[in-house]
Amino acid sequence: MIEKILLAVSGLGHAEEMLKTLTQLPSIQKAKVTVLHVVSGKTTSEAMTAKWEEGGRILANAIQTLNLDPSQISSILRQGDPKNVVCQVADEIDADLIIMGSRGLKRLQSILSNSVSQYVFQLSSRPMLLVKDDIYVKNIRRIMVAMDKSDAAKHCLKLAIFLLQGIPGGQLILANVDTDLRGKLSEITEVSSEKNPVLAMAVAEAQRYSVPVRCYTSSGKPGEEICRLAEELNIDLLLLGSPDRRPSIAKSFVDIDRLIGSSLSDYVRVNATCPVLLARTEA
């Protein structure tokens, strides 16, 4: 399911470390990786030459850090607006996954600061793995999927099962949150799936692939609860279904319309203490 990965590097953050951890998984080991760095800004020719040289060094350092077989990795150095170029290159190579660093800015902050990851998160139709600058990247053993009845959650379940194939001691954690918008918290409870149709379907799917699975429920505000579950259950990677972000007709507009509402995926990407993989319904 993940055969082509686009890694966007800036020389900062943990994106390279995240990909290096991912490529240790048996299911990812043969994936082709494209490392992208975008040289932005219009300036004097002398300054632009320095930027190209710096970009080349960033790419070289990233490739050295990843230490992959040369046949598996390629690099692209391109000039332009990073937000647009990442989306363009993802389409060009037909990436199955985009990996980017993130400063973890809230929505308004990220829009006002012209955040690359926020823009790509809104507009790309591809699964996106965001790695905040302030988190610790761990070896992946425990993958959590926030389960509900949506097709996006079912797609996340398939991705999680794929990633867990062949991992010694790997475990799938299924979390189902009972929404309580008053914010009243409940205990995090490990449950059997028989009385929960959403979890029962997911457990049956995991068992088809012999993936060990445990189920947990809690109640409260969904975004806060998903983050609390991920932290208290010591999750290494969180998968969350994300709805369609913007219609194509609105792609040239700043995402102001969502500022007045609430977004589960926005909350989780900002507040989760582990890397977050956001995916939409399978195309």
Side-chain angles (χ1 to χ4, degrees):
M1 292 179 70
I2 298 179
E3 298 178 346
K4 300 175 185 177
I5 299 174
L6 175 62
L7 172 67
V9 298
S10 64
L12 303 170
H14 302 303
E16 296 97 320
E17 187 179 353
M18 184 74 246
L19 177 57
K20 191 171 183 179
T21 298
L22 268 185
T23 55
Q24 295 172 6
L25 304 184
S27 58
I28 299 291
Q29 285 178 351
K30 294 182 180 180
K32 302 291 185 180
V33 175
T34 299
V35 184
L36 169 68
H37 179 73
V38 183
V39 176
S40 61
K42 295 180 179 179
T43 182
T44 65
S45 58
E46 183 177 335
M48 186 56 66
T49 298
K51 284 190 173 185
W52 278 95
E53 291 175 351
E54 180 188 12
R57 288 193 294 271
I58 289 172
L59 281 178
N61 289 337
I63 291 171
Q64 183 177 15
T65 298
L66 294 171
N67 194 29
L68 294 175
D69 187 305
S71 65
Q72 285 183 264
I73 191 166
S74 59
S75 63
I76 296 177
L77 181 62
R78 190 171 292 184
Q79 183 179 353
D81 184 336
K83 303 187 300 295
N84 294 322
V85 173
V86 171
C87 292
Q88 290 166 3
V89 172
D91 289 340
E92 288 173 14
I93 69 171
D94 195 19
D96 301 310
L97 177 65
I98 301 170
I99 301 177
M100 294 186 69
S102 170
R103 289 172 290 171
L105 298 177
K106 294 181 180 179
R107 218 170 355 166
L108 179 57
Q109 290 175 307
S110 60
I111 291 171
L112 295 178
S113 66
N114 207 25
S115 167
V116 177
S117 62
Q118 169 70 3
Y119 184 98
V120 176
F121 164 68
Q122 293 294 338
L123 299 187
S124 177
S125 62
R126 303 172 189 278
M128 184 172 179
L129 178 49
L130 291 169
V131 191
K132 289 196 301 180
D133 295 345
D134 61 350
I135 68 166
Y136 175 69
V137 176
K138 299 179 289 184
N139 290 331
I140 297 174
R141 295 290 181 270
R142 294 166 64 83
I143 297 180
M144 180 175 125
V145 178
M147 287 302 305
D148 56 25
K149 296 179 181 179
S150 70
D151 289 337
K154 294 173 184 176
H155 181 40
C156 284
L157 174 67
K158 292 180 181 179
L159 277 173
I161 291 172
F162 167 79
L163 292 171
L164 284 163
Q165 295 294 305
I167 299 179
Q171 192 171 69
L172 174 63
I173 305 296
L174 301 175
N176 184 228
V177 175
D178 183 15
T179 300
D180 185 337
L181 296 180
R182 297 169 299 176
K184 185 177 180 180
L185 301 182
S186 71
E187 294 292 328
I188 294 174
T189 306
E190 184 169 7
V191 297
S192 173
S193 63
E194 284 82 359
K195 296 182 179 180
N196 186 314
V198 173
L199 293 179
M201 175 280 299
V203 168
E205 184 71 11
Q207 289 175 340
R208 284 182 56 205
Y209 295 91
S210 302
V211 172
V213 58
R214 298 175 76 170
C215 300
Y216 292 86
T217 62
S218 68
S219 66
K221 294 181 180 179
E224 295 177 9
E225 280 305 286
I226 289 170
C227 292
R228 182 166 74 107
L229 282 157
E231 183 170 12
E232 295 196 14
L233 297 175
N234 194 27
I235 298 302
D236 304 319
L237 177 64
L238 168 61
L239 272 66
L240 179 68
S242 178
D244 285 349
R245 295 156 198 161
R246 292 282 286 178
S248 59
I249 195 171
K251 285 190 175 182
S252 61
F253 296 94
V254 176
D255 193 19
I256 293 298
D257 58 318
R258 295 183 66 206
L259 290 176
I260 60 174
S262 60
S263 166
L264 175 64
S265 51
D266 270 315
Y267 183 92
V268 173
R269 73 171 179 85
V270 170
N271 294 284
T273 56
C274 65
V276 179
L277 197 164
L278 297 154
R280 292 199 272 176
T281 306
E282 215 167 359

